[in-house]
Amino acid sequence: MNFDELGARIIVTFGDGKVFLTESFLFGVIVAVVIAVFGIWLGSNLKTVPKGKQIFSELIVGWIYKFTKENVGTGNEGYAPYIGTVFAFCMCGSMLGLFGFRPITADVNVTFALSILTFLLIQFSEVKKFGLFGKIKHMCEPYPFMLPLKILEDLTLPISLGFRLFGNILGGLIVIDLWLNFMTYLSTYFSTVPFLRAVLVLPLNGFFDIFEPIIQTFIFTLLTMIFLGIGINVSKQDS
Amino acid sequence: MNVLAIAIAIGICMGLVGFGIAMGQGKSLSNAVEGISKQPEAAADIRTTLIVGMAIMETMGVLTFVIAIILSGKL
């Protein structure tokens, strides 16, 4: 595995190599399609009395809506579909390590795409709610000279969100890869087959490919909702 | 000489960030345990906040780790 670059491998190039598709693009599309098909299957054929798969889907949707309502505030449940989509995509993308692929969130492009989407969502919802001048007026409070600091505060949000997710997943990837290399080295003392790689990596997989993605996705969505809630609700009290 | 300086820098930054995170997480865990023992019915809330807070603290370590990886590419 190549760690010299912070992105993933390039698999398809067009023309003179300036236009290319990376591994994370391919797996991102696959994950998105799988989630979409699964979601459509879960949401199809709904009945008044829930049965079977409908109980599961109602559990998920209800939890996402409750989670959004607690953190963004009552009356803002309209953001729940976005939160749920980011949650599902980010978690499934980070768990790709279970299948032996490079997790797509271990690519700085994917995490920054997600965090810039969050940034745009927050800015647009503030502007939509209070208007451009209302937002600027709110940023000039309490003193107008604090405007650059407020702008800096807004701009650091996507950077910290993106690097947090990227670093955590990449760290887990590197630790698992180092462990696999070490096990290959150890098993050369016993036989030519690297048999020690087989089972001994499972605890690390459990931590870095199941526990860590859940926690990091939870934090990503929680911070998204908290900053969204600050942007929407605090401004309401002032104006 | 340059390689030596980079190697020392990587060691120092990872060591310092480990020290800081260990201090912060130890303090938060001790306070959380104290809170749970005083108020066992709030254990679930405290546990969630503790895990989220610890993961946010670990972010500092992770950012340093990314910098260390970028530096180690120059060795």
Side-chain angles (χ1 to χ4, degrees):
Chain A
M1 218 173 271
N2 181 20
F3 294 121
D4 291 340
E5 46 188 332
L6 297 180
R9 261 203 311 269
I10 293 170
I11 46 172
V12 183
T13 52
F14 301 105
D16 53 353
K18 293 241 175 72
V19 183
F20 53 82
L21 297 181
T22 56
E23 205 182 12
S24 43
F25 174 83
L26 176 70
F27 285 122
V29 170
I30 291 175
V31 165
V33 168
V34 168
I35 292 174
V37 169
F38 185 64
I40 291 170
W41 176 73
L42 274 182
S44 65
N45 203 6
L46 296 178
K47 304 237 169 50
T48 320
V49 180
K51 192 165 116 338
K53 68 177 168 51
Q54 198 184 339
I55 296 176
F56 180 62
S57 53
E58 280 183 7
L59 189 74
I60 295 175
V61 173
W63 181 76
I64 291 282
Y65 270 81
K66 188 167 145 278
F67 190 42
T68 314
K69 195 172 159 184
E70 275 171 6
N71 290 297
V72 188
T74 315
N76 293 320
E77 289 91 345
Y79 294 105
Y82 172 75
I83 302 289
T85 311
V86 168
F87 199 96
F89 182 73
C90 187
M91 197 164 79
C92 297
S94 310
M95 281 183 181
L96 277 176
L98 282 178
F99 303 103
F101 306 125
R102 184 183 168 118
I104 57 171
T105 42
D107 181 355
V108 79
N109 302 308
V110 176
T111 57
F112 266 83
L114 287 174
S115 64
I116 288 171
L117 209 60
T118 291
F119 172 72
L120 291 179
L121 174 81
I122 294 173
Q123 300 303 321
F124 273 116
S125 26
E126 285 181 27
V127 169
K128 193 182 159 200
K129 194 151 186 179
F130 307 106
L132 194 57
F133 288 106
K135 179 170 161 46
I136 293 173
K137 185 164 155 276
H138 169 64
M139 286 171 87
C140 288
E141 283 169 359
Y143 303 111
F145 67 84
M146 290 182 66
L147 183 66
L149 284 179
K150 297 261 182 168
I151 293 173
L152 199 65
E153 192 189 331
D154 277 357
L155 288 180
T156 48
L157 167 73
I159 297 173
S160 83
L161 269 184
F163 270 127
R164 173 178 297 128
L165 185 58
F166 164 71
N168 274 292
I169 306 296
L170 183 77
L173 183 72
I174 289 176
V175 170
I176 287 180
D177 205 56
L178 285 177
W179 177 260
L180 284 178
N181 277 343
F182 178 58
M183 283 300 127
T184 313
Y185 173 72
L186 268 192
S187 48
T188 53
Y189 285 110
F190 306 110
S191 78
T192 54
V193 183
F195 64 98
L196 282 173
R197 287 173 67 122
V199 181
L200 290 172
V201 76
L202 284 181
L204 285 177
N205 270 128
F207 186 78
F208 289 112
D209 287 333
I210 296 176
F211 180 69
E212 191 87 347
I214 291 174
I215 292 286
Q216 292 307 321
T217 312
F218 188 73
I219 287 170
F220 189 90
T221 47
L222 193 67
L223 286 177
T224 299
M225 284 186 294
I226 287 173
F227 280 99
L228 194 61
I230 288 175
I232 291 176
N233 296 328
V234 171
S235 316
K236 187 164 61 186
Q237 292 163 1
D238 291 343
S239 57
Chain B
M1 185 58 209
N2 198 14
V3 171
L4 187 68
I6 291 175
I8 291 175
I10 293 171
I12 288 176
C13 75
M14 286 312 289
L16 276 181
V17 80
F19 175 76
I21 292 174
M23 296 289 282
Q25 289 196 344
K27 200 165 183 178
S28 64
L29 178 64
S30 81
N31 283 334
V33 169
E34 203 175 304
I36 289 177
S37 65
K38 276 180 189 164
Q39 221 177 344
E41 64 271 15
D45 284 347
I46 293 177
R47 198 178 301 124
T48 314
T49 316
L50 175 72
I51 289 176
V52 171
M54 278 196 172
I56 289 176
M57 273 179 237
E58 269 178 8
T59 306
M60 299 306 130
V62 165
L63 294 184
T64 318
F65 181 65
V66 171
I67 291 174
I69 288 171
I70 294 171
L71 277 179
S72 69
K74 297 188 174 176
L75 278 179

Coordinates of all heavy atoms in Angstrom, one line a residue, chain A residues 3 6 163-164 166-168 170-171 174 212 215-216 218-219 222, chain B residues 48 51-53 55-56 58-60 62-63 65-66 69-70 73:
Chain A
F3 N 1.6 5.0 0.9 CA 1.2 6.1 1.8 C 1.8 7.4 1.5 O 1.7 8.3 2.3 CB 1.5 5.7 3.3 CG 0.7 4.5 3.7 CD1 1.3 3.4 4.2 CD2 -0.7 4.6 3.7 CE1 0.5 2.3 4.6 CE2 -1.5 3.5 4.1 CZ -0.8 2.4 4.6
L6 N -1.6 11.5 0.0 CA -2.7 11.4 1.0 C -4.0 10.9 0.3 O -5.0 10.8 1.0 CB -3.0 12.8 1.6 CG -1.8 13.3 2.4 CD1 -2.1 14.7 2.9 CD2 -1.5 12.4 3.5
F163 N -10.2 17.0 8.3 CA -8.9 16.4 8.8 C -9.2 15.4 9.9 O -8.4 14.4 10.1 CB -7.9 17.4 9.2 CG -7.0 17.8 8.0 CD1 -6.8 19.1 7.7 CD2 -6.4 16.9 7.3 CE1 -6.0 19.5 6.7 CE2 -5.6 17.2 6.2 CZ -5.4 18.5 5.9
R164 N -10.2 15.7 10.7 CA -10.5 14.7 11.9 C -10.8 13.4 11.3 O -10.2 12.4 11.7 CB -11.6 15.3 12.7 CG -12.0 14.4 13.8 CD -13.1 15.0 14.7 NE -12.6 16.1 15.4 CZ -13.2 17.3 15.4 NH1 -14.3 17.5 14.7 NH2 -12.6 18.3 16.0
F166 N -10.5 12.2 8.3 CA -9.4 11.6 7.4 C -8.3 11.0 8.3 O -7.9 9.9 8.1 CB -8.8 12.7 6.5 CG -7.5 12.4 5.9 CD1 -7.4 11.4 4.9 CD2 -6.4 13.0 6.3 CE1 -6.2 11.2 4.4 CE2 -5.2 12.8 5.8 CZ -5.1 11.8 4.8
G167 N -7.9 11.7 9.3 CA -6.7 11.3 10.1 C -7.1 10.0 10.9 O -6.2 9.1 11.0
N168 N -8.3 10.0 11.5 CA -8.6 8.8 12.3 C -8.7 7.6 11.4 O -8.2 6.5 11.8 CB -10.0 9.0 12.9 CG -9.8 9.8 14.2 OD1 -9.3 9.2 15.2 ND2 -10.3 11.0 14.3
L170 N -7.3 7.1 8.4 CA -6.0 6.7 7.9 C -5.1 6.1 8.9 O -4.3 5.2 8.7 CB -5.3 8.0 7.3 CG -4.0 7.8 6.6 CD1 -4.2 7.1 5.3 CD2 -3.2 9.0 6.5
G171 N -5.2 6.6 10.2 CA -4.4 6.1 11.3 C -4.7 4.6 11.5 O -3.8 3.8 11.6
I174 N -3.2 2.5 8.7 CA -1.8 2.4 8.8 C -1.4 1.4 9.9 O -0.5 0.5 9.7 CB -1.1 3.7 9.0 CG1 -1.2 4.5 7.8 CG2 0.4 3.5 9.4 CD1 -0.6 5.9 7.9
E212 N -14.3 2.4 15.5 CA -13.8 3.8 15.2 C -14.6 4.5 14.1 O -15.0 5.7 14.3 CB -12.3 3.7 14.7 CG -11.6 5.0 14.6 CD -10.9 5.4 15.9 OE1 -11.2 4.8 16.9 OE2 -10.1 6.3 15.8
I215 N -17.8 5.8 15.9 CA -17.6 6.9 16.7 C -17.3 8.2 15.9 O -17.8 9.2 16.1 CB -16.4 6.6 17.6 CG1 -16.7 5.5 18.6 CG2 -15.9 7.9 18.4 CD1 -17.6 6.0 19.7
Q216 N -16.4 8.0 14.8 CA -16.1 9.2 14.0 C -17.3 9.7 13.2 O -17.4 10.9 13.1 CB -14.9 8.8 13.1 CG -13.6 8.6 13.8 CD -13.2 9.7 14.8 OE1 -13.4 10.9 14.5 NE2 -12.7 9.3 15.9
F218 N -20.4 9.4 14.1 CA -21.2 10.0 15.1 C -20.7 11.4 15.4 O -21.5 12.4 15.5 CB -21.2 9.2 16.4 CG -22.2 9.6 17.4 CD1 -23.5 9.3 17.3 CD2 -21.7 10.2 18.6 CE1 -24.4 9.7 18.2 CE2 -22.6 10.6 19.5 CZ -24.0 10.3 19.4
I219 N -19.4 11.6 15.6 CA -18.9 12.9 15.9 C -19.0 13.9 14.7 O -19.4 15.0 14.9 CB -17.4 12.8 16.3 CG1 -17.3 12.2 17.7 CG2 -16.7 14.1 16.3 CD1 -16.0 11.8 18.0
L222 N -22.7 14.8 14.6 CA -23.0 15.6 15.8 C -22.4 17.0 15.7 O -23.2 18.0 16.0 CB -22.4 14.9 17.0 CG -22.9 15.4 18.4 CD1 -24.3 15.1 18.6 CD2 -22.1 14.8 19.5
Chain B
T48 N -21.9 8.6 26.9 CA -21.9 9.1 25.6 C -21.0 10.4 25.5 O -20.2 10.5 24.5 CB -23.3 9.4 25.2 OG1 -24.1 8.3 25.5 CG2 -23.4 9.6 23.7
I51 N -17.3 9.5 25.6 CA -16.7 8.9 24.4 C -16.5 10.0 23.3 O -15.5 10.1 22.7 CB -17.6 7.8 23.9 CG1 -17.4 6.6 24.9 CG2 -17.1 7.3 22.6 CD1 -18.3 5.4 24.6
V52 N -17.6 10.8 23.2 CA -17.5 11.9 22.1 C -16.4 12.9 22.5 O -15.5 13.2 21.6 CB -18.8 12.6 22.0 CG1 -18.7 13.8 21.1 CG2 -19.8 11.7 21.4
G53 N -16.3 13.2 23.7 CA -15.2 14.2 24.2 C -13.9 13.6 24.0 O -12.9 14.3 23.5
A55 N -13.0 11.3 21.8 CA -12.6 11.3 20.4 C -12.3 12.6 19.9 O -11.4 12.8 19.0 CB -13.8 10.7 19.6
I56 N -12.9 13.7 20.4 CA -12.5 15.0 20.0 C -11.1 15.4 20.5 O -10.3 16.0 19.7 CB -13.6 16.1 20.4 CG1 -14.8 15.9 19.6 CG2 -13.1 17.5 20.3 CD1 -16.0 16.7 20.1
E58 N -8.8 13.2 20.9 CA -7.8 12.4 20.1 C -7.6 13.0 18.7 O -6.6 12.7 18.1 CB -8.4 11.0 19.8 CG -8.0 10.0 20.9 CD -8.6 8.7 20.6 OE1 -9.3 8.5 19.6 OE2 -8.5 7.8 21.5
T59 N -8.4 14.0 18.3 CA -8.2 14.6 17.1 C -6.9 15.3 17.0 O -6.2 15.3 16.0 CB -9.3 15.7 16.8 OG1 -10.6 15.0 17.0 CG2 -9.3 16.3 15.5
M60 N -6.5 15.9 18.1 CA -5.2 16.6 18.2 C -4.1 15.6 17.8 O -3.2 15.9 17.0 CB -4.9 17.2 19.6 CG -5.9 18.2 20.0 SD -6.1 19.5 18.8 CE -7.8 19.5 18.6
V62 N -4.4 12.9 16.2 CA -4.5 12.4 14.8 C -3.9 13.5 13.8 O -3.2 13.1 12.9 CB -6.0 12.1 14.5 CG1 -6.2 12.0 13.0 CG2 -6.4 10.9 15.2
L63 N -4.2 14.8 14.1 CA -3.6 15.8 13.3 C -2.1 15.8 13.3 O -1.4 15.9 12.3 CB -4.2 17.2 13.7 CG -5.7 17.4 13.5 CD1 -6.0 18.8 13.9 CD2 -6.1 17.1 12.1
F65 N -0.4 13.2 13.9 CA 0.0 12.0 13.3 C 0.0 12.2 11.7 O 1.0 11.7 11.1 CB -1.1 10.9 13.6 CG -0.9 9.6 13.0 CD1 0.2 8.8 13.4 CD2 -1.7 9.0 12.1 CE1 0.4 7.6 12.8 CE2 -1.6 7.8 11.6 CZ -0.5 7.1 11.9
V66 N -0.9 12.9 11.2 CA -0.9 13.3 9.8 C 0.4 14.0 9.4 O 1.0 13.8 8.5 CB -2.2 14.0 9.4 CG1 -2.1 14.6 8.0 CG2 -3.4 13.2 9.5
I69 N 3.3 11.8 9.4 CA 3.4 11.0 8.2 C 3.9 11.8 7.0 O 4.8 11.3 6.3 CB 2.0 10.4 7.8 CG1 1.6 9.4 8.8 CG2 1.9 9.8 6.4 CD1 0.2 8.9 8.7
I70 N 3.4 13.0 6.9 CA 3.9 13.9 5.8 C 5.4 14.1 6.0 O 6.2 14.1 5.0 CB 3.2 15.2 5.9 CG1 1.7 15.0 5.5 CG2 3.8 16.2 4.8 CD1 0.9 16.2 5.7
G73 N 7.6 11.1 5.1 CA 7.8 11.0 3.6 C 9.0 11.6 3.1 O 9.5 11.4 2.1

